């Protein structure tokens, strides 16, 4: 029997409805959550993402403060903006869209963001807190993956999760989150990557597979344990002359063959993708709630 779909758009809508209620509560207390969105240069994909983030702010009633800087912007100018936003009380979250142009040291910029406003969850302090199980901001895509699993009723405790990919943005943090001694976690986690020996054999051990390696349709149905849950983080552009825009999006998993074997699977698009921005909004709302709580 073909796997059921995990509908990221629907789960995303559900979380956004919950956020609207929390935002209304904040506003009733005189607080409007605010997100600063910083884009340096004109990377076309980044422009699309940033535009989607700003639109979501507007849909939810979050204040968005946009900063578009030229491709030649120097590191000191960007750091100066980040410092200004750190001390701006209207701003609860700071998002600097990555990648940054080559003359700018990304790590220096990420580290300059106040950990109290690090709604991307990329700051070393946020990641350190995640590792030792302290409260902080969960990186958005891993947080979205955890929400998809929990809200789809997938029991993770004691299960074998195999993460394919070891990026700082997805692979490493999702592995840490799901191995925590905590609700919606408690899994046994293996992290595999491009250098893993006999990758198909490792993937075949997965009760839950998280594919985040960035290679179009690399994981096929014959790699997947019958009944496994498959979360596909890939968003790869594959040339497709039959489409008006000349390409289609595919995941890291070969969907049609995997669907025949898995019990639950995320589609691409419409699976993990919509969750990332939703969790960015969730972190921004959480940040505003924390400020109010301290007040
Ligand atoms: N570039 C690609 N994904 C992301 C993200 O989640 N946050 C930021 N800041 N940049 C990105």
């Amino acid at each position: 029997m073909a796997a059921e779909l995990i509908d990221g758009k629907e789960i995303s809508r559900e979380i956004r409805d919950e956020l609207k209620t929390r935002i209304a509560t904040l506003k009733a207390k005189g607080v409007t959550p605010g997100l600063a969105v910083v884009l340096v240069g004109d990377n076309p994909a980044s422009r699309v993402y940033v535009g989607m983030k700003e639109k979501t702010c507007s849909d939810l009633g979050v204040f968005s403060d946009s900063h578009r800087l030229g491709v030649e912007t120097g590191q000191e100018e960007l750091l100066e903006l980040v410092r200004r936003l750190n001390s701006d009380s209207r701003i609860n979250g700071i998002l600097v869209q990555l990648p940054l142009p080559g003359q700018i040291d990304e790590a220096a910029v990420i580290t300059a963001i106040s950990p109290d406003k690090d709604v991307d969850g990329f700051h070393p302090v946020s990641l350190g807190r995640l590792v030792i199980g302290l409260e902080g901001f969960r990186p958005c895509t891993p947080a979205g993956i955890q929400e998809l699993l929990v809200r789809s009723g997938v029991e993770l405790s004691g299960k074998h999760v195999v993460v394919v990919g070891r990026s700082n943005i997805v692979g490493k943090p999702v592995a840490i989150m799901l191995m925590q001694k905590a609700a919606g976690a408690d899994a046994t986690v293996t992290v595999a990557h491009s250098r893993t020996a006999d990758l198909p054999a490792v993937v075949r051990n997965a009760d839950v597979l998280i594919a985040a390696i960035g290679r179009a349709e690399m994981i096929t149905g014959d790699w997947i344990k019958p009944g496994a849950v498959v979360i596909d983080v890939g968003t790869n552009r594959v040339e497709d002359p039959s489409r008006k825009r000349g390409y289609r999006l595919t995941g890291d998993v070969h969907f049609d063959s995997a669907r025949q074997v898995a019990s639950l699977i995320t589609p691409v698009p419409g699976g993990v993708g919509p969750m990332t921005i939703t969790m960015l909004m969730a972190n921004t709302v959480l940040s505003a709630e924390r400020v109010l709580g301290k007040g």
Side-chain angles (χ1 to χ4, degrees), residues 8 11-12 15 140 144 147-148 271-280:
I11 294 175
S12 190
I15 296 172
C140 302
E147 292 292 333
L148 286 177
V272 175
M275 296 296 289
T276 299
I277 295 181
T278 296
M279 299 318 294
L280 175 71

Side-chain angles (χ1 to χ4, degrees), residues 46 49 53 95-99 120 122 140-141 169 276:
S46 291
Y49 286 134
K53 288 168 188 177
L95 177 124
V96 179
Q97 186 68 26
L98 305 179
D120 252 331
F122 293 165
C140 302
T141 301
I169 293 183
T276 299

Side-chain angles (χ1 to χ4, degrees), residues 58-186:
S58 143
D59 290 347
L60 294 182
V62 168
F63 166 60
S64 87
D65 178 33
S66 298
H67 298 265
R68 300 278 198 280
L69 306 181
V71 69
E72 306 294 343
T73 300
Q75 172 150 328
E76 196 42 47
E77 188 185 340
L78 180 56
L79 288 175
E80 187 45 44
L81 172 61
V82 167
R83 288 186 208 114
R84 206 150 31 89
L85 296 169
N86 280 342
S87 52
D88 185 337
S89 61
R90 297 169 308 162
I91 301 300
N92 302 106
I94 301 171
L95 177 124
V96 179
Q97 186 68 26
L98 305 179
L100 290 167
Q103 73 276 15
I104 296 175
D105 175 359
E106 275 185 8
V109 174
I110 290 169
T111 310
I113 295 171
S114 163
D116 291 337
K117 299 189 179 186
D118 176 36
V119 288
D120 252 331
F122 293 165
H123 193 289
V125 167
S126 301
L127 291 170
R129 296 178 79 87
L130 192 71
V131 172
I132 59 175
L134 293 179
E135 255 195 33
F137 293 111
R138 295 180 296 169
C140 302
T141 301
I145 293 168
Q146 191 173 36
E147 292 292 333
L148 286 177
L149 290 167
V150 169
R151 289 173 187 255
S152 303
V154 176
E155 176 56 71
L156 286 161
S157 179
K159 294 291 167 56
H160 189 186
V161 173
V162 175
V163 179
V164 184
R166 54 179 158 180
S167 70
N168 290 337
I169 293 183
V170 184
K172 284 182 204 163
V174 80
I176 288 161
M177 280 168 55
L178 299 183
M179 74 170 71
Q180 289 297 318
K181 188 169 182 160
D186 275 329

